[in-house]
Amino acid sequence: MALVGVLMMLLAAYVALDLARGLAACPQGERWFRLLGGALALATGLWGAQILGLSYRILPYPLAYHPALTFAAWLAAVVFMALGLALAGRPGRPIDTLMGCAVVAGGMVLTEMGFLLSLSPSPGIAWTWLWVGLALPIAWGGSSLALWVFTGGKRRDHQHWQALSALLLAVSLVASQALILKSAGLEHQTGVPLDGRVASGTVEALASVGSVVLLVMLWVVSYMDTRMKASLQTARAEMQSQSLRDPLTELPNRQIFEGMLAQAFKRADATNAKLGLLLINLDGFKGINETLGHRTGDRLLREVASRLRSLAQPHMVARQGADEFLMLIPNDADAKVAAELAASVLVSLGKPCLLDGREASVTCSIGIALYPDDGGASALIAHADAAMRFAKSSGGAAYCFFETRMVDGFRDQAEVLRDLRRALAQGELELFYQPKIHAPTGEITGAEALMRWQHPRRGMVNPVEFIVLAERFGLICQLGNWLIDEVCRQIRAWRDAGLRMRVAINLSVHQLRQSDLVDRIARALHDNDVNPGLITCEITETVAMEDTDTTIRVFHQLAKLGVSISIDDFGTGHSSLSYLRKLPASELKIDRSFVLDLETSEDARKVAAAVINLAKSLDLKVVAEGVETEGQNRILREFGCDQLQGYLFAKPMSAKALALWAMDDVGPRTMNFRDSLFKATQPGQP
């Protein structure tokens, strides 16, 4: 009886403890599920051990069980075990643990007595209360000891300690059962009623098979839940680890590096030490991606990361993003130490590496900032970045220490950009127009629109300065859209005043990438009732060659719209004749750099003549810009240039000034406007 009961109770106790593990930390729904599961396991184990124990006992009468009383005793056991486990599972309160074990012990004693009463033996049970009283402390002490071993075992190999705890709990409960059975004195009874009862064989089969099946099912559920939680925890830990590391190079990312940097700042402040920060940016990495492919570029980044890791202290190098890396010198970082490390980085990265059977080498630009000399914790990375940009602008393949003047320039750019956004929103920008001259006749035939910005504090801002900033910081498309709308509005205003002026506008590479560029131009023409023939779109040769497929597609869409196309700054790029023939352009503009030396350089005259002859052979008109002297004017006319533009004829002027010059001959010099500019106009016609 003892061996069978211990085995049954051992399985029940092991399952109950497995379900009770981490009970306090579980969510509310799962906590109740585990609590009920543990109570079911203990109650079923108690019942099964009792039934199987009685089956091995030799009594002078057959046994039969009252079904209702037996179920009630089992249900009472579930309730008592659930209450006991709930109390014992509270964290950090030993008194609750002892009370929970007392409830488990008391419930065990009462339900065991209930199981025996369900037999209803004759003439009736006369309990020996000494044995009952002894069973209670044994159950309480054994369960308390088992729980103490179980909770202590969590800090060690939990499976071994869980098995030992289950054994202690099973032995104590089986011993208590034996005392309760002894106190009942069943061998002194004469029999039990059989009518309406369940035969002992049926109950024993249910106890031996059903109880084991139920306990095994509960253990399987607990085991699967534990494995699932462990897998989920491992996955979360892996995701967290991956979120803090760059997946390509396995280096710490910017987020984790900033955490390490914050700790380094605290240590430096506590010990009055200095820190050094290197920001490393690869030179020409975009070209490697474009020529060798992104997969080769990724391999190069991994090789760079490996070389930087070998030069830095553990965990002191990180990938900031793209082709930029951060390296920290955590101790005694003066200028000499930082310079030596930067020089080592330049040498290491400059060594060729073999990628897909090809040798590839890369240089880098390094910015160095020292803490606290070059700023506080919040500005150190930004200052290292400013120094890196200065090194790159100086030609790259070098390192540079931070200086205050570097960030002052960026601050000035930021202020200009902020004011430019405000100027665009508040209508502070203005278009000036520089006339184009028909070379054979000297008549004005059109004008080029040029953007001007009269800053309230800085005065007239150089267009080169704010256009470059707008391109760098993504504002150029907004400026371009404003220019398109303003030019169409002005053409309509001139037309209403009796002046039909053809206007050229410049398009940037960023505008060519706008999917709705052609639609915007078409909408501006339609809204102002302007004929497309009055608009010429100028695109530089370099831009036209940058993305040939896009350029050809946009050019054909503009040509279909009726807009003229001009290739600006011709001669500075590397266009081919076959490509030029595919473009629906109507004119070429000779770059001003060739016009400048026409009077003094035979080579400049040869280039200008060649460009003009090339254009003529392709049935393109030729415009020369930057004409400032009579000598340049004469030479270009002799070469057969179609149109001229420059300060010799007129500087850029406001729309109002151009209209006064055309209508009232109030201008910089006596010059005729072509008669066709003043003919009666109809809406939507040139």
Side-chain angles (χ1 to χ4, degrees), residues 409-460:
F410 285 115
R411 287 173 183 162
D412 185 65
Q413 289 183 1
E415 290 180 2
V416 171
L417 186 64
R418 179 200 62 202
D419 293 346
L420 181 58
R421 294 182 187 278
R422 188 203 64 235
L424 184 60
Q426 298 181 0
E428 296 179 4
L429 299 175
E430 184 180 1
L431 289 182
F432 275 40
Y433 298 86
Q434 186 173 31
K436 289 184 176 182
I437 310 303
H438 185 237
T441 64
E443 297 175 328
I444 296 175
T445 58
E448 180 181 359
L450 302 170
M451 197 175 297
R452 294 293 183 263
W453 179 23
Q454 182 69 32
H455 194 281
R457 180 170 50 87
R458 299 171 184 264
M460 186 64 72

Side-chain angles (χ1 to χ4, degrees), residues 154-491:
K154 288 183 180 180
R155 297 185 292 271
R156 294 160 287 194
D157 188 343
H158 76 273
Q159 290 186 344
H160 292 86
W161 290 96
Q162 181 176 328
L164 178 59
S165 302
L167 180 61
L168 290 172
L169 182 58
V171 169
S172 64
L173 294 182
V174 168
S176 300
Q177 278 186 336
L179 291 174
I180 297 298
L181 189 59
K182 183 177 180 62
S183 70
L186 291 180
E187 63 275 6
H188 303 300
Q189 303 296 316
T190 60
V192 297
L194 299 178
D195 295 339
R197 304 299 182 98
V198 179
S200 61
T202 303
V203 178
E204 289 166 9
L206 185 61
S208 58
V209 178
S211 297
V212 173
V213 170
L214 177 61
L215 291 175
V216 170
M217 288 177 60
L218 288 173
W219 177 79
V220 169
V221 170
S222 177
Y223 177 77
M224 295 300 294
D225 182 68
T226 302
R227 288 291 299 272
M228 189 178 299
K229 280 187 175 180
S231 300
L232 184 59
Q233 186 175 1
T234 302
R236 286 176 177 171
E238 183 68 21
M239 288 178 62
Q240 184 176 9
S241 174
Q242 290 297 328
S243 68
L244 298 178
R245 289 194 171 273
D246 173 56
L248 178 64
T249 63
E250 294 297 323
L251 290 176
N253 60 16
R254 172 73 178 266
Q255 179 183 355
I256 190 64
F257 186 82
E258 288 183 346
M260 295 188 297
L261 197 59
Q263 295 296 326
F265 286 140
K266 291 181 180 179
R267 290 193 296 269
D269 292 338
T271 59
N272 293 322
K274 290 186 177 182
L275 302 176
L277 181 67
L278 276 62
L279 195 150
I280 304 159
N281 182 275
L282 304 183
D283 299 326
F285 181 71
K286 181 180 179 182
I288 293 177
N289 267 339
E290 291 176 348
T291 56
L292 301 181
H294 287 277
R295 294 182 63 183
T296 302
D298 289 345
R299 293 193 187 97
L300 179 60
L301 287 175
R302 284 192 288 268
E303 177 63 24
V304 168
S306 176
R307 296 183 184 185
L308 293 179
R309 192 186 288 111
S310 67
L311 295 174
Q313 295 186 28
H315 310 298
M316 291 294 110
V317 62
R319 185 186 181 197
Q320 177 165 250
D323 57 347
E324 284 191 350
F325 298 85
L326 293 165
M327 185 179 291
L328 179 65
I329 310 174
N331 300 312
D332 300 326
D334 57 16
K336 181 180 178 182
V337 172
E340 290 175 350
L341 179 58
S344 299
V345 171
L346 289 172
V347 172
S348 178
L349 297 191
K351 296 177 181 178
C353 59
L354 193 63
L355 300 173
D356 294 336
R358 303 178 182 177
E359 275 196 354
S361 59
V362 63
T363 60
C364 65
S365 301
I366 305 174
I368 305 173
L370 302 177
Y371 176 83
D373 298 348
D374 294 334
S378 61
L380 202 64
I381 294 180
H383 288 175
D385 183 73
M388 180 275 295
R389 293 183 183 278
F390 193 86
K392 189 173 287 288
S393 66
S394 301
Y399 64 83
C400 182
F401 283 89
F402 170 76
E403 296 179 11
T404 305
R405 62 187 176 89
M406 298 174 183
V407 74
D408 287 343
F410 285 115
R411 287 173 183 162
D412 185 65
Q413 289 183 1
E415 290 180 2
V416 171
L417 186 64
R418 179 200 62 202
D419 293 346
L420 181 58
R421 294 182 187 278
R422 188 203 64 235
L424 184 60
Q426 298 181 0
E428 296 179 4
L429 299 175
E430 184 180 1
L431 289 182
F432 275 40
Y433 298 86
Q434 186 173 31
K436 289 184 176 182
I437 310 303
H438 185 237
T441 64
E443 297 175 328
I444 296 175
T445 58
E448 180 181 359
L450 302 170
M451 197 175 297
R452 294 293 183 263
W453 179 23
Q454 182 69 32
H455 194 281
R457 180 170 50 87
R458 299 171 184 264
M460 186 64 72
V461 181
N462 190 331
V464 175
E465 179 182 349
F466 72 81
I467 292 296
V468 169
L469 278 178
E471 289 180 337
R472 183 183 303 171
F473 294 99
L475 198 61
I476 190 64
C477 290
Q478 296 181 46
L479 290 180
N481 294 338
W482 173 83
L483 183 145
I484 292 169
D485 292 337
E486 180 63 18
V487 164
C488 290
R489 186 201 63 78
Q490 185 59 58
I491 291 176

Side-chain angles (χ1 to χ4, degrees), residues 604-678:
R605 288 192 290 272
K606 289 180 179 179
V607 170
V611 170
I612 293 173
N613 291 332
L614 172 64
K616 297 295 185 182
S617 66
L618 295 175
D619 294 326
L620 300 176
K621 294 180 180 179
V622 184
V623 180
E625 58 181 347
V627 181
E628 298 182 356
T629 67
E630 289 290 351
Q632 296 168 352
N633 180 22
R634 176 182 54 79
I635 294 172
L636 290 168
R637 288 175 187 267
E638 291 175 355
F639 286 167
C641 189
D642 295 295
Q643 295 189 65
L644 307 172
Q645 183 181 348
Y647 284 4
L648 176 64
F649 311 106
K651 293 182 178 181
M653 64 189 71
S654 66
K656 181 178 180 181
L658 183 60
L660 287 174
W661 189 14
M663 300 297 187
D664 302 327
D665 200 21
V666 179
R669 58 181 289 176
T670 301
M671 191 175 297
N672 295 325
F673 284 74
R674 178 161 287 185
D675 290 340
S676 61
L677 302 182
F678 304 98

